[in-house]
């Protein structure tokens, strides 16, 4: 059973606010990922990490930033939220296998 | 350009019948394929996968078929149950040399509705 957690599950916030989406996993996986997904669309990779102090941007350009100071923790930060950031954000992790395990997601609405 | 395509946005099937979800890909470097199931307001859940060296993988009611020459895979669910109603995502991966990355490229998903 995969154990990966995301908080908050839902967030409604005003334009210009700074937000941090939390993601933690207890499986000791070295690889972690952030995806953005809109209804009816594919999951787009926005950030990934191969281990502590390793972060890379994904295929989809994003104004967000990430950090990986601890193996189990991979937070995503938006310095100044805008309505265009409204989306579902999904965190995932994997070991040395193809299968990625996803958290429940954060539904972000920026008003 | 989409490398993984799920051309049917939705599919309705009667309970007990077979559900067939299709996926096409364009990148010949993909060597591993996965299906995920996603309920609303939840994250995707891994369902079944297949390596490019195989043409079939079965797990209970779920079977995935891979046709490499046609760059096509399909997921069969038999028999379909109302609890199978969800969005199904096809995903593909290729090993990036050096970094050992296992990045996934996803399709847009097919919404399956199983009618009781």
């Amino acid at each position: 059973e995969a154990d990966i957690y995301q908080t908050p599950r839902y967030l409604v916030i005003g334009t210009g606010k700074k937000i941090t989406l939390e993601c933690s996993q207890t499986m000791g996986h070295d690889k972690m990922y952030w995806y953005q997904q809109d209804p009816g669309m594919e999951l787009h990779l926005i950030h990934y990490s191969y281990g502590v102090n390793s972060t890379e941007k994904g295929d989809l350009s994003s104004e967000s930033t990430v950090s990986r100071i601890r193996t189990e923790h991979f937070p995503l930060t938006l310095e100044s939220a805008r309505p265009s950031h409204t989306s579902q954000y999904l965190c995932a992790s994997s070991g040395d296998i193809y299968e990625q395990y996803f958290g429940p997601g954060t539904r972000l609405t920026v008003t | 350009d989409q490398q993984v395509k799920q051309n049917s946005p939705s599919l309705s099937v009667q309970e007990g019948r077979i559900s067939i979800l299709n996926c096409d890909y364009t990148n010949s470097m993909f060597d591993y394929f996965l299906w995920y199931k996603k309920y609303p307001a939840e994250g995707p859940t891994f369902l079944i996968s297949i390596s490019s060296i195989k043409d079939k993988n079965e797990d209970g009611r779920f079977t995935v078929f891979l046709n490499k020459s046609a760059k096509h895979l399909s997921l069969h669910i038999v028999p379909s149950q109302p609890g199978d109603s969800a969005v199904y995502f096809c995903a593909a991966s290729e090993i990036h040399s050096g970094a050992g990355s296992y990045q996934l490229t996803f399709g847009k998903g097919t919404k399956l509705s199983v009618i009781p």
Side-chain angles (χ1 to χ4, degrees):
Chain A
E1 183 73 23
D3 293 317
I4 180 163
Y5 309 97
Q6 289 186 245
T7 57
R9 292 291 312 276
Y10 302 91
L11 179 62
V12 180
I13 200 162
T15 298
K17 300 291 187 182
K18 177 180 179 178
I19 60 170
T20 296
L21 307 184
E22 300 288 348
C23 176
S24 295
Q25 51 97 3
T26 59
M27 297 167 284
H29 286 164
D30 53 353
K31 299 174 185 65
M32 295 189 74
Y33 313 84
W34 275 104
Y35 292 88
Q36 186 174 337
Q37 195 227 351
D38 295 312
M41 300 297 291
E42 61 267 55
L43 280 71
H44 287 289
L45 182 68
I46 52 175
H47 297 284
Y48 59 97
S49 168
Y50 296 144
V52 171
N53 294 324
S54 154
T55 60
E56 300 286 346
K57 288 189 178 293
D59 300 327
L60 182 67
S61 176
S62 174
E63 294 166 345
S64 58
T65 59
V66 293
S67 62
R68 189 90 182 274
I69 299 172
R70 303 196 316 265
T71 298
E72 63 271 21
H73 195 214
F74 191 39
L76 180 145
T77 298
L78 273 167
E79 290 293 333
S80 179
R82 294 208 301 267
S84 61
H85 296 139
T86 294
S87 188
Q88 184 179 36
Y89 293 84
L90 294 160
C91 180
S93 72
S94 68
D96 288 329
I97 55 174
Y98 288 98
E99 289 81 0
Q100 294 180 15
Y101 296 95
F102 284 83
T106 295
R107 171 70 65 184
L108 173 65
T109 302
V110 183
T111 60
Chain B
D1 183 36
Q2 264 200 299
Q3 298 185 69
V4 177
K5 300 178 183 178
Q6 294 178 256
N7 293 319
S8 298
S10 62
L11 174 69
S12 290
V13 173
Q14 288 286 337
E15 180 179 4
R17 306 295 292 268
I18 184 171
S19 294
I20 300 176
L21 296 98
N22 294 303
C23 178
D24 298 293
Y25 62 96
T26 57
N27 186 346
S28 58
M29 298 300 291
F30 286 145
D31 56 3
Y32 202 82
F33 304 88
L34 308 90
W35 285 95
Y36 282 83
K37 176 181 179 180
K38 186 179 185 296
Y39 293 117
E42 293 185 13
T45 302
F46 169 71
L47 200 56
I48 192 169
S49 61
I50 188 167
S51 165
S52 59
I53 62 173
K54 296 185 176 181
D55 55 17
K56 177 183 175 182
N57 188 28
E58 190 172 354
D59 184 2
R61 296 187 297 115
F62 302 92
T63 303
V64 55
F65 295 91
L66 175 63
N67 182 333
K68 281 189 66 178
S69 60
K71 293 190 177 69
H72 177 83
L73 63 156
S74 61
L75 174 67
H76 293 211
I77 306 174
V78 182
S80 300
Q81 299 173 354
D84 295 330
S85 297
V87 177
Y88 289 78
F89 288 95
C90 173
S93 182
E94 55 175 308
I95 293 181
H96 289 253
S97 61
S101 165
Y102 295 85
Q103 292 185 29
L104 298 180
T105 300
F106 286 84
K108 292 185 177 183
T110 297
K111 183 177 181 180
L112 174 66
S113 300
V114 180
I115 304 163

